[in-house]
């Protein structure tokens, strides 16, 4: 393949006191170490989306809101995604769900993985994200990175607030597997799309 897949690390929380920046920087560093993808951060703080209020999904009607269109253009630039997933009350954040709903065609037939966090490692939120991803015709990797339990409280800002490197030995195996799977799927879906032309 002539070009490397472009991957976005999407930070799925916008709270002023969010923890998301710590895992986002860490997974960005791991992804940048992969020689066969190009990776960038996409921060939902930079996309002040309204609550979804279009007449329909952009699969059926063009969006009217300028911020929604700008978001769709951003999403469309990438061949795959790494979501930074906070677990709020057993699900993903409202801003992430809204961002997912604001686009459709740009997500379709692209892979994603995640780094999820919370007391249960963000596992319940990630399961919701995977269900949403299937509806958007995305491909989820089997593996993902989970920061939970004592590891979470070691690095969480309201816990030990230690650098994520303190626990990275526990995260590196799953990160490698998740990124390997993401790269494989990104190349496979790009090749399949090229074959359709």
């Amino acid at each position: 393949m002539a070009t490397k897949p472009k991957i976005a690390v999407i930070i799925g929380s916008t709270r002023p006191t969010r923890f998301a920046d710590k895992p986002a920087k860490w997974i960005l560093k791991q992804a940048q170490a992969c020689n066969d993808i190009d990776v960038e951060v996409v921060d939902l703080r930079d996309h002040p989306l309204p609550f979804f209020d279009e007449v329909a999904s952009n699969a059926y009607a063009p969006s009217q809101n300028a911020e929604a269109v700008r978001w769709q253009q951003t999403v469309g630039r990438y061949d795959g995604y790494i979501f930074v997933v906070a677990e709020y009350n057993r699900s993903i954040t409202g801003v992430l769900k809204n961002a997912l709903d604001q686009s459709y065609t740009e997500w379709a037939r692209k892979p994603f993985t995640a780094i999820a966090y919370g007391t249960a490692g963000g596992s319940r939120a990630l399961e919701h994200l995977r269900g949403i991803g299937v509806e958007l015709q995305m491909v989820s990797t089997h593996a993902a990175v989970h920061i939970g339990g004592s590891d979470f409280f070691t690095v969480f800002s309201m816990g030990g607030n230690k650098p994520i490197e303190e626990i990275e030995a526990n995260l590196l195996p799953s990160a490698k597997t998740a990124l390997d799977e993401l790269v494989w799927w990104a190349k496979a879906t790009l090749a399949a799309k090229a074959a359709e032309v």
Side-chain angles (χ1 to χ4, degrees), residues 3-5 30-39 180 183 187:
T3 59
K4 295 180 183 181
Q30 307 314 309
Q32 286 173 331
C34 298
N35 293 324
D36 38 9
I37 55 173
D38 289 324
V39 134
D180 285 350
V183 168
K187 289 180 176 179

Side-chain angles (χ1 to χ4, degrees), residues 4-87:
K4 295 180 183 181
K6 285 189 69 176
I7 305 298
V9 174
I10 298 180
I11 303 178
S13 173
T14 57
R15 289 171 57 237
T17 57
R18 71 184 182 188
F19 170 72
D21 296 301
K22 199 179 272 191
K25 286 175 188 168
W26 186 84
I27 198 66
L28 176 66
K29 180 181 172 186
Q30 307 314 309
Q32 286 173 331
C34 298
N35 293 324
D36 38 9
I37 55 173
D38 289 324
V39 134
E40 299 172 353
V41 170
V42 173
D43 193 337
L44 290 184
R45 283 180 177 168
D46 299 328
H47 293 274
L49 292 162
F51 280 117
F52 181 76
D53 62 356
E54 302 288 344
V55 296
S57 158
N58 75 334
Y60 303 105
S63 297
Q64 300 303 305
N65 184 280
E67 281 299 330
V69 172
R70 187 171 77 89
W71 172 243
Q72 291 158 7
Q73 291 167 346
T74 298
V75 169
R77 286 199 298 265
Y78 298 97
D79 305 306
Y81 311 92
I82 302 167
F83 291 100
V84 181
V85 180
E87 182 166 314

Side-chain angles (χ1 to χ4, degrees), residues 103-182:
S103 187
Y104 187 93
T105 56
E106 295 78 10
W107 298 120
R109 299 180 179 180
K110 294 178 184 177
F112 71 94
T113 193
I115 181 165
Y117 60 88
T119 54
S123 57
R124 298 164 297 198
L126 182 51
E127 284 308 302
H128 284 184
L129 177 62
R130 283 177 168 145
I132 296 162
V134 167
E135 188 61 26
L136 294 171
Q137 298 188 50
M138 299 177 82
V139 181
S140 173
T141 60
H142 175 266
V145 182
H146 295 273
I147 306 173
S150 61
D151 279 349
F152 177 62
F153 286 109
T154 297
V155 296
F156 186 49
S157 50
M158 295 175 69
N161 200 25
K162 300 217 171 153
I164 205 163
E165 287 72 22
E166 295 266 330
I167 61 162
E168 80 173 352
N170 299 334
L171 307 180
L172 284 169
S174 57
K176 181 183 183 325
T177 304
L179 290 169
D180 285 350
E181 290 176 5
L182 182 67

